[in-house]
Amino acid sequence: MTPRGWAVLTLGGLVLALLVASVVLVPWSRPPAPRADQVAALGELPVDQVAHAREFRSALRPGAYGALVVGLLVALLLGLTPVGARLVELAGRPFGGHWTARAVLGGLAVVLLADLLTLPFAAWRQSVLTRYGLSTHGWSGWAVDLLKSYAVSAVIGAIALLGFYTVTRLAPRWWWAFGAAGAAGLVVLLSFVLPVLVEPVFNRFTPMEQGPLRTELMAMAARDGVPVRDVLVADASRRTKAVNAYVSGLGPTRRVVVYDTLLREATPAEVTSVVAHELGHAKDRDVWTGTLTGALGAALAVVALYLLGSWGPLLRLAGVDSVAEPRAFPLLIALVTVAGLVAAPAQALVSRRVEARADAHALALTGDPATFEAMQRRLAGVNLADPDPPRWEYLWSASHPSTVERMAAARAYAREAGR
Ligand SMILES: [Zn+2]
């Protein structure tokens, strides 16, 4: 069988594996959140709070969708015309067009150009956040964060680009197989190292101070059968007023992180409710699930790019001979951008299901739906979330159930548990 035949077979296998993983690992059965409860919950939220949140979300929208459209247009312009290939050549020229310069500098130049052209929209977003009082770090802090994220992306990008184009050179017929394995491996590696190598670039993490709250949280984790070494507090207040918590890392790097803003804004019982949700993610191995599906998706993308990239008309549009050369990198970016837009609603759906399961876990673990609901109300209030967002936006991009869905889930739990 030819390499191309093997690639088609591998693609089929990866699609199947991704389908099986999503059927087995994603909690498709819906936790109860009756619409009547949602409507009742919405009716009980302060009218001016809801109006203010909706005004804020509307103010963000033009920038968000502007960035999306411009990002797509730039990717298509660079990838589906010879402009991108010429940019890669240009970046390699000071180094005599050496392939490593084209691969790394050319690749980074393409990404940087797209970032710069969408920069005005990022600034728009920051100005809206400042106007509504959510951002606390000012323009200089914002710029520093931006430069740090460019630097982190450049390091990870350079490693990926150099690795990828080394493989396409060493194995011109089988690069897709090594590339797929390498992409999957990179996803797993990043899951392990992001919390210890990248997150500290943006925030300082300190163990939660000794006291009744910490004791209560550790006891709850023990009761839940989730070994937690520590609960870390992130100094999120340096850039935002928003409250949040999350779990990241795998095995030895796994941690539960709460924002210092959460400790400041919420009652200890509400913090407990939030951490119970995060323990749900840990207990159900949601980081593993995300990592596994991410790794399968990355491998699938590499094989699909190889197969699509042997399509003559596409190569002619991009003005390249082969998809495996650095000059074709803009074409790869264009294809990945389009695929990302198409996959976004499916990713959001999976994320919402996983989040709803963590909510159900928090309710069962604390047995305290009233506090859970109060916490949801506070989250929406502080973060200026639209408690019941427009349907299309929810389906397109919501990573969590809406506030009224989460409140309704608490009410359904309370009814069932007779509390
Ligand atoms: Zn969550």
Side-chain angles (χ1 to χ4, degrees), residues 74 105 175 223 250 256:
V74 170
L105 298 179
W175 63 261
R223 197 166 77 234
L250 289 171
V256 173

Side-chain angles (χ1 to χ4, degrees), residues 244-247 274 277-278 280-281 286 351 354-356 358-359 399-401 406:
N244 203 357
Y246 64 89
V247 53
V274 170
H277 168 102
E278 303 307 328
H281 285 312
D286 290 338
S351 171
V354 169
E355 294 298 340
D359 279 350
S399 62
H400 287 65
R406 302 178 90 173

